[in-house]
Amino acid sequence: MISSMATQALLSDLNQQFQAIQPDTTVSLVSVGGVNAAERVQAGEAFDVVVLAANAIEQLSASGQLLAESRIDLARSGVALAVRADSPAPAIETEAQVKAAVLAAASVGISTGPSGVAVTALFERWGLADTLRNRTVTAPPGVAVGSLVASGEVALGFQQLSELKDLPGITVLGPLPSAIQIITTFSAARTVACEQPREVQALLAFLASAATAQIKQAHGMSPA
């Protein structure tokens, strides 16, 4: 199974649960930046299951790497904001407060994933694209925005809550307010080249089952 970093911790925990009830099936998980994961699948690298943002799953299905009919939606994930642990914590309860915090920040970190694309679009909607261009730092694929916040490389970081919540050295200010919240649905699908369809089907059914709701919530996500 290959996934983006946003679901690495969640899938690791779910994998442990799955293997406890299916001890004859061993699942190996590879997690990299979402862009890199899609590229590896497109290049024909052998995987049985792919877990990525829904739009990436759709693109890989359309290009023939994944079986569209096997797709299941796993979890919905929102974006949060973080600052370095020793930095003042600005208010972010309203869109206006988030905008003010962004304008006050010396630098802003975003990801290469869907949340980063959406945050960039938000800056454009605010009319701040030019103002923030030289202050925006895009984390390389596979590098957590929160790690750049913790190191001081960026002052304010936008990323999936699931990727920020357990990182040391940062303070998670909270999720974006509902008016500008960015929700990403993460989906899974079987590859066309999969040679273990029965085992994969059992895994996908488990990942989408009601029994996984609590652990998804513990990782800052909600069941899809």
Side-chain angles (χ1 to χ4, degrees):
M1 179 162 56
I2 188 169
S3 79
S4 63
M5 298 301 295
T7 54
Q8 180 186 32
L10 170 64
L11 290 173
S12 294
D13 285 352
L14 291 176
N15 189 17
Q16 290 183 13
Q17 289 191 352
F18 176 73
Q19 294 190 155
I21 61 176
Q22 296 279 356
D24 294 333
T25 302
T26 299
V27 182
S28 298
L29 173 64
V30 175
S31 295
V32 295
V35 173
N36 289 343
E39 289 174 345
R40 289 172 65 171
V41 175
Q42 287 175 325
E45 192 168 340
F47 296 102
D48 293 308
V49 181
V50 180
V51 181
L52 290 171
N55 66 323
I57 293 294
E58 291 169 0
Q59 290 166 3
L60 291 170
S61 298
S63 59
Q65 280 80 36
L66 302 179
L67 294 168
E69 63 270 22
S70 71
R71 171 186 161 177
I72 56 169
D73 294 335
L74 300 182
R76 299 172 75 246
S77 178
V79 171
L81 278 169
V83 295
R84 191 169 174 171
D86 57 1
S87 298
I92 62 160
E93 294 177 1
T94 67
E95 179 176 356
Q97 289 175 332
V98 174
K99 184 177 180 180
V102 168
L103 283 171
S107 53
V108 179
I110 62 174
S111 75
T112 55
S115 67
V117 173
V119 170
T120 299
L122 178 64
F123 293 166
E124 292 173 351
R125 180 165 69 78
W126 284 343
L128 298 179
D130 291 338
T131 301
L132 298 174
R133 184 165 289 113
N134 293 330
R135 283 195 268 159
T136 301
V137 177
T138 302
V143 175
V145 173
S147 68
L148 303 183
V149 175
S151 69
E153 187 172 341
V154 298
L156 182 69
F158 289 79
Q159 198 164 35
Q160 306 283 342
L161 175 60
S162 61
E163 296 185 77
L164 292 173
K165 64 185 297 293
D166 295 319
L167 278 178
I170 67 172
T171 297
V172 178
L173 302 175
L176 292 177
S178 59
I180 55 171
Q181 179 56 275
I182 298 161
I183 300 294
T184 299
T185 297
F186 288 98
S187 305
R190 176 160 56 96
T191 63
V192 170
C194 173
E195 296 181 352
Q196 303 177 83
R198 185 168 58 183
E199 290 83 357
V200 165
Q201 189 56 43
L203 173 63
L204 293 179
F206 171 75
L207 294 177
S209 69
T212 63
Q214 186 173 356
I215 194 165
K216 289 170 183 175
Q217 291 165 351
H219 282 275
M221 300 184 181
S222 61

